[in-house]
Amino acid sequence: MAEIIIAGFGGQGVLVLGQVIAYAGMIENKSVSWLPSYGPEQRGGTCNCSVVVTPGEVGSPVVTVPSDALVMNGPSFDRFEPKVSAGGLLVYNSSLVPKTSQRDDITTIAVPANEIADELGNARIANMVMLGAFVQATGIVMEESIEEALKAVLSERHHSLIPLNMQAFERGRAYQ
């Protein structure tokens, strides 16, 4: 079972990232939950979501001690890095987090997600770079499920961006 926290600023695609993982899990007939949490701000405010993916039943959608965390910015790193369970995984956006974890009981992966997204020509796909690194590290879902999940999560007017999102996903997988 994976109990995941995904966190960052509004506008970084945090909630979409969580939805993609949850939908990919459903495509693979896993039990999932997705629970968003954000303030009244639209863009720029903090937001996070809890995602649970398990072959069994989801006991609670609330994640207080995540097995894994994906953090997109410094404040999220400060808030959630201490909460990752021993033996867990922390994937963080080193483009916006200028520090490293001092914990020796978790695995950390620093991904320059913003730089990679900029290289691909669209800063808004940094979340998919992070997703690629996370999926490569955990094997939580298959790549094919990610592409199918994007079709479900993204509005039809954004379906033309799925190839670019998948390219970002692949760059994140290869970054490891």
Side-chain angles (χ1 to χ4, degrees), residues 3 8-11 24 34 42 66 69 81 83 89 92 101 112 149 159 162:
E3 294 182 316
F9 292 132
W34 173 78
Q42 289 278 323
E81 181 257 357
K83 295 182 179 184
L89 173 66
Y92 66 95
S101 175
H159 280 197
I162 290 174

Side-chain angles (χ1 to χ4, degrees), residues 56-71:
E57 291 185 14
V58 175
S60 171
V62 178
V63 175
T64 54
V65 182
S67 58
D68 307 295
L70 287 87
V71 295

